[in-house]
Amino acid sequence: MSTFIHPLSDVQSKNIGDNTRIWQFVVVLPDAKIGKDCNICSHCFIENNAVIGDRCTVKCNVQIWDGITLEDDVFVGANVTFCNDRHPKSHNKDFKLEPVLVKKGASIGANATILPGVTIGENAMVAAGSVVTKDVEANMTYIKK
Protein backbone atom coordinates (compact mmCIF):
# COMPACT_ATOMS: atom_id res chain seq x y z
CA MET A 1 0.00 0.00 0.00
CA SER A 2 1.21 3.53 -0.66
CA THR A 3 0.31 6.98 0.58
CA PHE A 4 -3.08 8.16 -0.68
CA ILE A 5 -3.89 11.85 -1.08
CA HIS A 6 -7.39 12.53 -2.38
CA PRO A 7 -7.38 14.81 -5.44
CA LEU A 8 -9.88 17.15 -3.74
CA SER A 9 -7.50 17.84 -0.83
CA ASP A 10 -4.83 20.57 -0.66
CA VAL A 11 -1.72 18.92 0.76
CA GLN A 12 1.21 21.33 0.59
CA SER A 13 3.50 19.40 2.95
CA LYS A 14 6.09 16.90 1.75
CA ASN A 15 6.36 15.54 5.32
CA ILE A 16 3.76 12.78 4.94
CA GLY A 17 4.64 9.24 6.03
CA ASP A 18 4.19 6.06 4.01
CA ASN A 19 0.75 4.46 3.84
CA THR A 20 -1.02 7.54 5.20
CA ARG A 21 -4.47 8.30 3.77
CA ILE A 22 -5.64 11.90 3.42
CA TRP A 23 -9.23 12.31 2.29
CA GLN A 24 -11.15 15.01 0.44
CA PHE A 25 -11.32 18.65 1.52
CA VAL A 26 -8.32 18.34 3.85
CA VAL A 27 -5.80 21.19 3.94
CA VAL A 28 -2.25 20.46 5.12
CA LEU A 29 0.11 23.45 5.25
CA PRO A 30 3.73 23.14 4.01
CA ASP A 31 5.59 22.61 7.30
CA ALA A 32 3.11 20.19 8.92
CA LYS A 33 4.40 16.71 9.77
CA ILE A 34 2.23 13.60 9.49
CA GLY A 35 3.62 10.15 10.26
CA LYS A 36 3.11 6.80 8.55
CA ASP A 37 -0.07 4.70 8.50
CA CYS A 38 -2.32 7.62 9.50
CA ASN A 39 -5.90 8.26 8.43
CA ILE A 40 -6.86 11.94 8.10
CA CYS A 41 -10.58 12.11 7.34
CA SER A 42 -12.42 14.74 5.30
CA HIS A 43 -12.69 18.42 6.14
CA CYS A 44 -9.62 18.62 8.40
CA PHE A 45 -7.07 21.45 8.57
CA ILE A 46 -3.48 20.90 9.68
CA GLU A 47 -1.39 24.01 10.33
CA ASN A 48 2.37 24.50 9.72
CA ASN A 49 3.73 23.72 13.18
CA ALA A 50 1.51 20.73 13.87
CA VAL A 51 2.94 17.25 14.36
CA ILE A 52 1.02 14.00 13.96
CA GLY A 53 2.81 10.76 14.82
CA ASP A 54 2.49 7.31 13.27
CA ARG A 55 -0.77 5.32 13.12
CA CYS A 56 -2.98 8.23 14.17
CA THR A 57 -6.61 8.63 13.17
CA VAL A 58 -8.08 12.11 12.88
CA LYS A 59 -11.81 11.97 12.13
CA CYS A 60 -13.80 14.57 10.16
CA ASN A 61 -13.89 18.31 10.90
CA VAL A 62 -10.82 18.58 13.15
CA GLN A 63 -8.28 21.41 13.05
CA ILE A 64 -4.75 20.69 14.25
CA TRP A 65 -3.28 24.15 14.91
CA ASP A 66 0.31 25.30 15.40
CA GLY A 67 1.74 23.85 18.60
CA ILE A 68 -0.51 20.78 18.65
CA THR A 69 1.38 17.46 18.81
CA LEU A 70 -0.23 14.04 18.54
CA GLU A 71 2.19 11.26 19.42
CA ASP A 72 1.90 7.77 17.88
CA ASP A 73 -1.36 5.77 17.94
CA VAL A 74 -3.61 8.69 18.89
CA PHE A 75 -7.32 8.73 17.99
CA VAL A 76 -9.11 12.08 17.57
CA GLY A 77 -12.89 11.86 17.15
CA ALA A 78 -15.03 13.95 14.83
CA ASN A 79 -15.39 17.67 15.57
CA VAL A 80 -12.76 17.74 18.33
CA THR A 81 -11.60 21.32 18.94
CA PHE A 82 -8.02 22.09 19.91
CA CYS A 83 -7.14 25.57 21.22
CA ASN A 84 -3.63 27.03 21.33
CA ASP A 85 -4.34 30.57 22.59
CA ARG A 86 -5.80 31.34 26.03
CA HIS A 87 -6.78 34.91 25.05
CA PRO A 88 -7.79 34.79 21.37
CA LYS A 89 -8.37 38.09 19.57
CA SER A 90 -8.20 39.08 15.95
CA HIS A 91 -4.79 40.59 15.10
CA ASN A 92 -3.57 40.02 18.66
CA LYS A 93 -0.06 41.49 18.89
CA ASP A 94 0.33 39.79 22.30
CA PHE A 95 -0.47 36.29 21.00
CA LYS A 96 1.14 33.59 23.12
CA LEU A 97 1.02 30.10 21.68
CA GLU A 98 0.33 27.47 24.35
CA PRO A 99 1.06 24.02 22.93
CA VAL A 100 -1.07 20.92 23.45
CA LEU A 101 0.51 17.46 23.71
CA VAL A 102 -1.51 14.28 23.21
CA LYS A 103 0.65 11.35 24.27
CA LYS A 104 0.96 7.91 22.72
CA GLY A 105 -2.18 5.82 22.53
CA ALA A 106 -4.57 8.47 23.86
CA SER A 107 -8.13 8.75 22.51
CA ILE A 108 -10.29 11.86 22.35
CA GLY A 109 -14.04 11.41 21.84
CA ALA A 110 -16.16 13.38 19.39
CA ASN A 111 -16.92 17.04 20.13
CA ALA A 112 -14.40 17.33 22.97
CA THR A 113 -12.67 20.68 23.44
CA ILE A 114 -9.01 20.72 24.44
CA LEU A 115 -7.89 24.04 25.96
CA PRO A 116 -4.40 25.54 25.54
CA GLY A 117 -1.39 24.25 27.44
CA VAL A 118 -2.89 20.84 28.23
CA THR A 119 -1.13 17.46 28.11
CA ILE A 120 -3.24 14.35 27.65
CA GLY A 121 -1.35 11.39 29.09
CA GLU A 122 -0.39 8.11 27.48
CA ASN A 123 -3.37 5.81 26.80
CA ALA A 124 -5.78 8.29 28.39
CA MET A 125 -9.39 8.47 27.22
CA VAL A 126 -11.25 11.79 26.93
CA ALA A 127 -15.02 11.26 26.80
CA ALA A 128 -17.08 12.69 23.96
CA GLY A 129 -18.22 16.25 24.60
CA SER A 130 -15.74 16.86 27.43
CA VAL A 131 -14.02 20.18 27.98
CA VAL A 132 -10.40 19.53 28.98
CA THR A 133 -9.13 22.41 31.13
CA LYS A 134 -6.17 20.68 32.82
CA ASP A 135 -3.71 17.87 32.21
CA VAL A 136 -5.12 14.34 31.97
CA GLU A 137 -3.02 11.65 33.62
CA ALA A 138 -1.84 8.54 31.77
CA ASN A 139 -4.40 5.72 31.55
CA MET A 140 -7.14 7.94 33.01
CA THR A 141 -10.67 8.38 31.66
CA TYR A 142 -11.61 12.06 31.70
CA ILE A 143 -15.26 13.14 31.70
CA LYS A 144 -16.13 16.79 32.22
CA LYS A 145 -19.05 18.65 30.73
Side-chain angles (χ1 to χ4, degrees):
M1 189 172 163
S2 62
T3 299
F4 170 78
I5 297 175
H6 195 284
L8 294 178
S9 64
D10 179 9
V11 177
Q12 301 165 29
S13 177
K14 303 295 182 207
N15 303 312
I16 310 292
D18 292 339
N19 299 322
T20 285
R21 294 164 309 286
I22 298 178
W23 296 96
Q24 64 272 34
F25 312 119
V26 172
V27 175
V28 182
L29 295 186
D31 294 329
K33 294 174 182 62
I34 302 174
K36 65 183 179 183
D37 300 312
C38 293
N39 190 33
I40 311 298
C41 296
S42 68
H43 297 88
C44 289
F45 178 83
I46 302 170
E47 209 165 21
N48 272 308
N49 295 317
V51 176
I52 299 174
D54 296 338
R55 297 170 305 281
C56 291
T57 297
V58 179
K59 299 305 272 183
C60 300
N61 301 311
V62 174
Q63 296 80 40
I64 310 290
W65 305 112
D66 287 343
I68 310 301
T69 299
L70 309 179
E71 291 185 347
D72 296 343
D73 304 303
V74 167
F75 175 86
V76 179
N79 302 302
V80 166
T81 298
F82 290 99
C83 305
N84 66 0
D85 184 2
R86 198 168 302 274
H87 304 285
K89 291 192 212 176
S90 181
H91 304 287
N92 184 1
K93 63 181 176 12
D94 297 321
F95 170 76
K96 180 181 179 243
L97 184 133
E98 293 187 55
V100 171
L101 174 60
V102 182
K103 296 197 147 229
K104 180 178 172 62
S107 293
I108 304 172
N111 293 305
T113 299
I114 314 301
L115 294 185
V118 167
T119 296
I120 297 174
E122 194 166 314
N123 298 313
M125 170 72 72
V126 174
S130 291
V131 178
V132 180
T133 60
K134 61 184 181 181
D135 291 351
V136 177
E137 294 178 28
N139 304 304
M140 177 181 174
T141 298
Y142 182 94
I143 302 171
K144 183 175 181 181
K145 297 180 184 188

